[in-house]
């Protein structure tokens, strides 16, 4: 009897040992793959050898920007952060308001705020890194990467420049017959929902520009498929860790948002999360102005991306309509007749608004993020006139940048 019990115990022990061993091997392989991805795309943080402004010049700019901030932001009870830098050197920064008004948690330089659609700039950059490392190509068909992707003409490029013709996921999932809004929509649900409900393109691919969040939700899936990591881990390995963006992360709706910055309406009533808060790539990155400055300066690093690819990034793709506005790859732009260009990206999700402006010619970085709804965030562009020949005035009445 004892002998039989010992045999059973020995068999059970052997099975458990094998299972444990298999699990450990899987963990080791996963870690090895993550390390491989991390080391493959890792770059050193930008070494800033560019000169700082003279103390007298900087002081004058600081006073002008402070006056601008006092006039444009304080009256709106601004809650958020703002930063202005040239050559990577901070000229001005200000942090005010609360990341959590109920608990009276103040916003500081280390407080990550939801950057809304500014997340697209970072998602696009992860795609550029995969292209630069020859894991994918810019004009590769998306259906060669994502299983069951139903639109054969859509490429990585047309996702990046919003010329895919896709419908916005928030519009076709707002019908109960398409999606139960009691359930949180996730990126992985998009292809099955589209196929099940025969969601057609809104227009023929690559015929004109139409800003659409669905493009970047699919780009996040491409990142996951190619890196074999979830989007949060991939962004951390590809961008956040290498650039030492220590206060930047991707929101995880499964863990909830109790310990992160909250989002408020203009009257300080908190926004509740809804069924769309599980989608990432187009939004859902939290960051700080200082971290975003690190990112912006890294884009000037020749080891970051090759010049040929950067030319594709910083050029317009949509000229069907006359005007100054255009879109590159993951970046908005204004083009004037004299050849002057401004690159930027705004964001708006719930009460969070954001603005990122990149003055390439002058190597100036302008960043503003708010967690209490205000359009003041977009007035940031007016400061561009302090650094170059941009057609804006600080005291302009028409000072919004959509």
């Amino acid at each position: 009897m004892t002998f039989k019990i010992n045999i059973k115990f020995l068999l059970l022990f052997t099975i458990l040992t094998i299972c444990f061993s298999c699990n450990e091997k899987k963990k080791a392989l996963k870690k090895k793959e993550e390390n491989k991805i991390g080391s493959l795309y890792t770059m050193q943080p930008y070494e800033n050898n560019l000169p700082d402004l003279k103390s007298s010049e900087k002081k004058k700019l600081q006073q002008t920007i402070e006056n601008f901030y006092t006039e444009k932001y304080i009256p709106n009870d601004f809650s958020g952060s703002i930063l202005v830098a040239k050559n990577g050197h901070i000229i001005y920064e200000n942090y005010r308001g609360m990341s959590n008004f109920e608990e009276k948690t103040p916003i500081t330089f280390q407080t990550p705020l939801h950057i809304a659609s500014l997340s697209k700039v970072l998602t696009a950059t992860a795609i550029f890194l995969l292209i630069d490392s020859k894991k994918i190509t810019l004009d590769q068909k998306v259906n060669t990467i994502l299983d069951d992707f139903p639109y054969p003409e859509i490429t990585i490029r047309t996702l990046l420049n919003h010329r895919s013709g896709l419908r916005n996921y928030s519009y076709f999932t707002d019908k109960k017959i398409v999606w139960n809004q009691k359930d949180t929509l996730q990126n992985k649900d998009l292809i099955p929902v589209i196929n099940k409900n025969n969601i057609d393109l809104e227009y023929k691919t690559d015929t004109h520009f139409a800003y659409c969040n669905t493009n970047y939700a699919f780009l996040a899936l491409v990142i996951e498929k190619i890196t074999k990591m979830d989007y949060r881990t991939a962004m951390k390995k590809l961008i956040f860790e290498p650039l030492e963006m220590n206060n930047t992360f991707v929101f995880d709706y499964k863990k909830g948002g109790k310990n992160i910055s909250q989002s408020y309406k203009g009257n300080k009533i908190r926004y509740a999360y809804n069924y769309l808060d599980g989608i990432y790539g187009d939004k859902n990155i939290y960051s700080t102005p200082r971290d975003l400055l690190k990112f912006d300066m890294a884009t000037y690093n020749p080891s970051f991306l090759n010049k040929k690819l950067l030319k594709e990034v910083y050029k317009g793709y949509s000229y069907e309509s006359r005007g100054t506005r255009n879109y590159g790859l993951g970046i908005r732009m204004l083009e004037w007749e004299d050849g002057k260009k401004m690159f930027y990206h705004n964001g708006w999700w719930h009460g969070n608004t954001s603005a990122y402006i990149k003055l390439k010619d002058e190597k100036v970085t302008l960043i503003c993020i708010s967690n209490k709804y205000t359009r003041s965030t977009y007035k940031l562009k007016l400061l561009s006139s302090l650094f170059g020949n941009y057609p804006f005035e600080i005291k302009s009445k028409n000072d919004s940048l959509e």
Side-chain angles (χ1 to χ4, degrees), residues 312-326:
E312 298 297 312
V313 174
Y314 295 111
K315 75 175 185 181
Y317 285 88
S318 301
Y319 293 95
E320 293 80 21
S321 301
R322 296 180 64 182
T324 58
R325 301 187 184 193
N326 216 312

Side-chain angles (χ1 to χ4, degrees), residues 165-191:
L166 285 168
R167 297 179 183 276
N168 197 316
Y169 62 78
S170 63
Y171 298 156
F172 63 75
T173 60
D174 65 352
K175 301 175 180 63
K176 290 184 179 180
I177 59 171
V178 175
W179 185 259
N180 182 356
Q181 295 179 17
K182 292 181 180 179
D183 298 327
T184 301
L185 185 70
Q186 299 178 60
N187 294 58
K188 66 180 182 180
D189 298 317
L190 292 176
I191 292 177

Side-chain angles (χ1 to χ4, degrees), residues 317-339:
Y317 285 88
S318 301
Y319 293 95
E320 293 80 21
S321 301
R322 296 180 64 182
T324 58
R325 301 187 184 193
N326 216 312
Y327 203 97
L329 300 181
I331 194 76
R332 287 186 180 272
M333 56 193 295
L334 294 174
E335 298 178 292
W336 292 281
E337 291 181 359
D338 63 359

Side-chain angles (χ1 to χ4, degrees), residues 222-314:
V222 170
I223 291 169
E224 291 185 326
K225 184 66 178 291
I226 299 301
T227 64
K228 299 180 182 178
M229 292 187 285
D230 62 84
Y231 176 77
R232 296 176 188 87
T233 304
M235 294 301 289
K236 185 177 179 180
K237 294 289 183 181
L238 292 171
I239 300 174
F240 305 157
E241 284 185 348
L243 298 184
E244 297 182 0
M245 297 171 68
N246 300 324
N247 293 305
T248 302
F249 61 88
V250 179
F251 173 66
D252 186 349
Y253 81 94
K254 292 179 181 178
K255 293 182 179 179
K258 293 182 180 179
N259 299 320
I260 61 176
S261 172
Q262 302 302 305
S263 173
Y264 296 90
K265 298 179 182 180
N267 57 4
K268 296 182 183 178
I269 293 177
R270 187 192 294 191
Y271 268 94
Y273 293 116
N274 65 28
Y275 78 102
L276 297 174
D277 280 296
I279 298 287
Y280 45 74
D282 60 327
K283 62 181 185 307
N284 270 347
I285 291 179
Y286 283 69
S287 190
T288 67
R290 289 192 182 185
D291 274 5
L292 292 170
L293 175 60
K294 291 178 181 179
F295 164 78
D296 184 60
M297 293 311 295
T299 62
Y300 294 103
N301 189 331
S303 69
F304 188 65
L305 294 169
N306 71 68
K307 292 182 179 180
K308 184 178 179 181
L309 180 55
L310 285 176
K311 285 182 180 179
E312 298 297 312
V313 174
Y314 295 111

Side-chain angles (χ1 to χ4, degrees), residues 49-146:
N49 298 318
L50 298 172
D52 197 356
L53 293 173
K54 292 180 179 178
S55 136
S56 57
E57 186 180 359
K58 180 179 283 190
K59 190 173 181 180
K60 184 179 179 180
L61 281 169
Q62 286 171 341
Q63 188 59 59
T64 302
I65 298 170
E66 177 65 28
N67 293 341
F68 172 81
Y69 182 81
T70 301
E71 179 187 343
K72 301 292 185 183
Y73 292 82
I74 301 297
N76 291 295
D77 193 22
F78 181 74
S79 177
S81 50
I82 185 171
L83 180 148
V84 178
K86 180 174 173 62
N87 290 342
H89 300 287
I90 297 174
I91 298 172
Y92 179 88
E93 59 182 335
N94 202 312
Y95 304 88
R96 74 187 307 269
M98 302 287 169
S99 65
N100 188 314
F101 281 96
E102 293 79 13
E103 297 181 5
K104 297 182 178 179
T105 308
I107 293 172
T108 72
F109 71 93
Q110 294 179 311
T111 305
L113 300 178
H114 195 301
I115 64 173
S117 282
L118 207 161
S119 302
K120 291 181 175 70
V121 178
L122 298 172
T123 298
T125 301
I127 290 291
F128 302 151
L129 292 169
L130 296 176
I131 292 170
D132 209 16
S133 61
K134 295 181 172 46
K135 293 294 181 180
I136 55 176
T137 63
L138 187 54
D139 291 308
Q140 185 170 349
K141 298 291 182 66
V142 177
N143 66 359
T144 66
I145 302 170
L146 300 180

Side-chain angles (χ1 to χ4, degrees), residues 206-232:
D206 207 20
T207 56
H208 66 273
F209 170 86
Y211 188 86
C212 179
N213 289 324
T214 313
N215 291 316
Y216 280 74
F218 279 130
L219 286 170
L221 287 175
V222 170
I223 291 169
E224 291 185 326
K225 184 66 178 291
I226 299 301
T227 64
K228 299 180 182 178
M229 292 187 285
D230 62 84
Y231 176 77
R232 296 176 188 87

